[in-house]
Amino acid sequence: MSFVEPERYFSRISMIDIQKDILDAGFTHVLLDIDNTILTRDTHEVPRDVSFWLSKARSAGLTFCLVSNNWHEGVYDLARRLDLPIVAKAVKPLPPAFLVALRKIGAKRKTTVMIGDQLITDVLGAHFLGMTAYMLQPLVEQDLKHTLLLRNVERAFMGDREPEGASVQAAEELSDESSAQAINQG
Ligand SMILES: [Mg+2]
């Protein structure tokens, strides 16, 4: 695995198997990006599957700290709503915020996984500190201008690497559609 590539790459957070992919892989703590990882960049919502996954993960014993480069008041509100600790204005990929976050939740680098949607900030930041990084496809296409620039860099490194869970997700969407059609027809 190259330094600039995530250890795992998923289509979205709910496609990560909490037991198999996190607990069995030896992780007890998670540093979690916010924008386009758990919060949609366009409508500023936490999708239902995402909030369900989060509560399942916490019941399973995982400890989270949000780590966001975002500096708006909204991310603090979100942290309060989710009842999670947060380090905002993080300037990822630089190490200080990651270290503050680890300390905040009493986490060790070896047993902590960073989950985020950006290669340059989330994945590189984790790797600088020798931590594992799981990358996600962004929740929505809309992104800030400087993020869009970084997306081109990502494409250069990730090429056409397929995210895990993409086919499961497509199948679920299809079955949602067909059950919706069945309801409409019924
Ligand atoms: Mg993000």
Side-chain angles (χ1 to χ4, degrees):
M1 188 69 52
S2 96
F3 187 77
V4 290
E5 273 186 66
E7 275 73 9
R8 305 280 298 270
Y9 179 40
F10 296 90
S11 58
R12 61 198 282 138
I13 202 166
S14 54
M15 290 297 138
I16 300 177
D17 188 306
I18 294 161
Q19 185 64 47
K20 264 206 318 237
D21 299 326
I22 300 188
L23 293 167
D24 292 353
F27 302 114
T28 51
H29 292 75
V30 179
L31 301 188
L32 189 61
D33 173 54
I34 293 180
D35 286 302
N36 257 344
T37 291
I38 59 165
L39 188 75
T40 55
R41 174 56 94 181
D42 52 357
T43 53
H44 304 285
E45 279 163 338
V46 179
R48 217 152 38 137
D49 63 306
V50 174
S51 65
F52 181 67
W53 185 93
L54 271 176
S55 58
K56 226 170 63 172
R58 295 171 82 183
S59 318
L62 282 175
T63 305
F64 287 84
C65 186
L66 301 169
V67 185
S68 174
N69 281 359
N70 200 321
W71 59 87
H72 295 107
E73 190 52 38
V75 290
Y76 296 101
D77 288 338
L78 178 76
R80 269 190 292 274
R81 258 194 290 144
L82 295 175
D83 190 27
L84 289 177
I86 181 170
V87 179
K89 307 172 191 164
V91 207
K92 294 176 286 185
L94 300 182
F98 290 91
L99 296 173
V100 172
L102 289 170
R103 209 172 314 131
K104 240 183 188 190
I105 55 172
K108 293 199 170 65
R109 295 184 209 179
K110 264 193 85 160
T111 49
T112 302
V113 58
M114 171 76 210
I115 301 177
D117 70 304
Q118 281 191 257
L119 192 66
I120 308 299
T121 54
D122 303 314
V123 175
L124 278 191
H127 285 177
F128 282 146
L129 291 171
M131 294 187 337
T132 296
Y134 289 178
M135 185 168 150
L136 309 176
Q137 280 190 310
L139 280 176
V140 291
E141 288 298 323
Q142 186 181 328
D143 255 322
L144 300 176
K145 256 198 206 107
H146 66 263
T147 306
L148 289 173
L149 277 175
L150 295 180
R151 294 280 175 219
N152 290 329
V153 180
E154 276 171 13
R155 262 190 287 277
F157 284 109
M158 300 292 286
D160 41 19
R161 183 167 163 186
E162 267 294 305
E164 300 175 53
S167 56
V168 180
Q169 211 181 301
E172 277 172 6
E173 276 161 21
L174 209 65
S175 82
D176 278 354
E177 265 169 42
S178 49
S179 51
Q181 272 168 9
I183 291 165
N184 288 338
Q185 283 161 3

